[in-house]
Amino acid sequence: DGGITQSPKYLFRKEGQNVTLSCEQNLNHDAMYWYRQDPGQGLRLIYYSQIVNDFQKGDIAEGYSVSREKKESFPLTVTSAQKNPTAFYLCASSIEGTSGGETQYFGPGTRLLVL
Amino acid sequence: AQSVTQLDSQVPVFEEAPVELRCNYSSSVSVYLFWYVQYPNQGLQLLLKYLSGSTLVKGINGFEAEFNKSQTSFHLRKPSVHISDTAEYFCAVNPRMDSSYKLIFGSGTRLLVRP
């Protein structure tokens, strides 16, 4: 089955620690996205990648970093600079990321908690 | 800039009753419109989207939405809800601009279906 997988489902971060969230897709999509979801709020875009080895900051990129070395993979690192990392993180992909009106397909999410 | 308003944070309704979830948007350019559903601790799934043409859009699970340009609204409706429709529903817009990938989400409406 084609889809998006995210791991782990739950992740715990200690003070001052960097953690990496995994996102893999086998939909052959060019574009991939990372969103942050907080209770009572909609999704906010962290980073976006339209093609391998290229990515752009979204609305709340501070304290996060990404890489896009393979088409299928778009890992997100939450660095120690992110002071309030507790949230639900969602990865998504779309066919091209250049044409308006594209459907974005979402993974099941990773819940990050701070110890 | 664009924004999306979902005025109702929670909508309780009895099973088999009709429901309407409201969505209003603000934008200086025309937009594509989306409704997504999120079941507890899961990712988002597309319910329906409006790109062009008929203003009444039919989606999955018996949902439909109507685009009203003059009122800048895209309300979601279902004539008879089921317990399984209990979930959070997000309205989103995508500006019709060159190379625009961005989805701007509302804060969500939690639909609670009671027996």
Side-chain angles (χ1 to χ4, degrees), chain A residues 100-103, chain B residues 31-34 49-54 57 74 94 96:
Chain A
E102 280 187 8
T103 297
Chain B
V31 297
Y32 302 105
L33 296 147
F34 300 77
K49 65 181 180 182
Y50 173 77
L51 302 182
S52 64
S54 172
V57 181
F74 191 53
N94 169 213
R96 292 181 187 243

Side-chain angles (χ1 to χ4, degrees), chain A residues 35 37 40-43 45 48 59 88 90 97-98 100-104 106-108 111, chain B residues 32 34 36 38 41-44 46 49 51 90 94 98-103 105-107:
Chain A
Y35 291 91
Q37 184 179 20
Q41 298 186 37
L43 281 66
L45 184 66
Y48 155 75
D59 298 320
F88 192 49
L90 289 158
T98 56
E102 280 187 8
T103 297
Q104 291 187 17
F106 286 80
R111 190 166 298 281
Chain B
Y32 302 105
F34 300 77
Y36 281 86
Q38 183 180 35
N41 295 310
Q42 293 186 29
L44 276 67
L46 181 72
K49 65 181 180 182
L51 302 182
F90 291 95
N94 169 213
D98 289 341
S99 300
S100 177
Y101 57 87
K102 195 168 183 178
L103 272 182
F105 286 87
S107 57

Side-chain angles (χ1 to χ4, degrees), chain A:
Chain A
D1 286 342
I4 301 176
T5 56
Q6 291 186 242
S7 61
K9 188 171 183 178
Y10 295 96
L11 186 57
F12 298 92
R13 193 191 92 162
K14 294 180 182 178
E15 202 74 35
Q17 186 181 42
N18 292 353
V19 293
T20 297
L21 285 62
S22 169
C23 176
E24 304 275 334
Q25 56 99 358
N26 61 3
L27 299 168
N28 200 32
H29 286 172
D30 284 325
M32 297 187 74
Y33 314 78
W34 273 106
Y35 291 91
R36 171 179 170 141
Q37 184 179 20
D38 293 282
Q41 298 186 37
L43 281 66
R44 292 181 291 168
L45 184 66
I46 305 173
Y47 267 99
Y48 155 75
S49 170
Q50 190 177 334
I51 196 168
V52 173
N53 292 323
D54 187 45
F55 46 83
Q56 294 83 40
K57 292 181 179 180
D59 298 320
I60 55 165
E62 187 175 348
Y64 300 98
S65 65
V66 293
S67 63
R68 186 89 187 273
E69 297 175 1
K70 298 187 299 182
K71 186 175 182 177
E72 302 80 20
S73 178
F74 192 40
L76 174 75
T77 296
V78 183
T79 74
S80 57
Q82 173 50 245
K83 297 307 178 188
N84 184 24
T86 297
F88 192 49
Y89 291 86
L90 289 158
C91 179
S93 71
S94 67
I95 293 175
E96 293 181 349
T98 56
S99 302
E102 280 187 8
T103 297
Q104 291 187 17
Y105 297 86
F106 286 80
T110 292
R111 190 166 298 281
L112 177 59
L113 300 165
V114 177
L115 293 176

Side-chain angles (χ1 to χ4, degrees), chain B residues 68-112:
Chain B
N68 188 319
K69 187 175 181 180
S70 62
Q71 296 186 7
T72 59
S73 68
F74 191 53
H75 300 332
L76 182 70
R77 302 185 184 100
K78 186 169 182 178
S80 175
V81 294
H82 302 290
I83 296 286
S84 59
D85 291 323
T86 294
E88 187 134 26
Y89 292 78
F90 291 95
C91 181
V93 301
N94 169 213
R96 292 181 187 243
M97 296 161 57
D98 289 341
S99 300
S100 177
Y101 57 87
K102 195 168 183 178
L103 272 182
I104 297 122
F105 286 87
S107 57
T109 297
R110 188 173 301 277
L111 176 63
L112 180 60

